[in-house]
Amino acid sequence: MTLFRMTLAAVAIAASAAPAMAEKLSLNAISKYLNGLDTAKAAFTQINDDGTISTGTIYLKRPGRARFEYNPPTDALVVAGGSQVAIFDGKSNAGPQQYPLKRTPLNLILERNVNLNQAQMVKGHGYDGTATTVLAQDPQNPEIGTIELKFTANPTELRQWIITDNAGSKTTVILGEMTKGAPLKSSLFSITAAINQRSR
């Protein structure tokens, strides 16, 4: 499994204990919830396609910014900011791999205005008695894969997402309880600052 694939999945989330609920969330309600996420922080557990497991902390600052800090022994860091995603691999002496944010599924939830009702974006919208699931794909860039989001209600919470790349590999990330609304320093989302820090 490539670090890039692992990284994109770092954007995935699932609940440690999802409460029972009795309603399917509408796409409008989910879009409103995502647009209301200003800042968020949570621990995560990532399950990779090959069965390996990584843990770390995720920071989100919408629009357009995210940071995934992996715990040892995984020496990796992912920073999204300035319309780019940088993937730092501690096993490599080279600089970070960088990709346009718009070319990753992460962009679907980091956009300034999330609108899941956009034509051809949602490929599936279901409810399993516990969680509402939304399978989404960027209609402008279908080759980057899909993201399946899972939400519980009362209150609405993002609990899980699964990234499936164009080769069919899946990666899931499970979040602990989210801390929302806390101030997060802009330097957390600076690719330049991350390069400088890791080169010391």
Side-chain angles (χ1 to χ4, degrees), residues 32 89 138 180 192:
K32 182 178 179 180
D89 181 357
D138 183 347
K180 291 175 281 191
T192 300

Side-chain angles (χ1 to χ4, degrees), residues 93-156:
N93 293 324
Q97 299 178 54
Q98 294 196 48
Y99 304 87
L101 177 59
K102 287 188 176 182
R103 301 289 297 175
T104 72
L106 178 59
N107 188 57
L108 291 174
I109 64 168
L110 290 181
E111 286 187 307
R112 183 174 299 277
N113 295 303
V114 177
N115 179 12
L116 293 175
N117 284 307
Q118 178 182 334
Q120 300 181 346
M121 175 179 285
V122 173
K123 302 300 182 180
H125 180 207
Y127 175 65
D128 64 6
T130 301
T132 298
T133 60
V134 175
L135 180 65
Q137 181 180 59
D138 183 347
Q140 303 302 317
N141 300 287
E143 71 282 356
I144 66 177
T146 62
I147 182 168
E148 182 180 19
L149 306 162
K150 292 191 178 183
F151 300 85
T152 54
N154 303 320
T156 301

Side-chain angles (χ1 to χ4, degrees), residues 67-78:
R67 181 183 180 96
F68 305 93
E69 295 180 352
Y70 288 83
N71 296 328
T74 303
D75 186 12
L77 172 69
V78 180

Side-chain angles (χ1 to χ4, degrees), residues 38-41 59 61 179-186 188-189:
D38 180 18
T39 65
K41 174 185 176 182
Y59 303 84
K61 189 172 185 179
T179 300
K180 291 175 281 191
L184 296 175
K185 296 184 296 183
S186 295
L188 283 173
F189 312 100

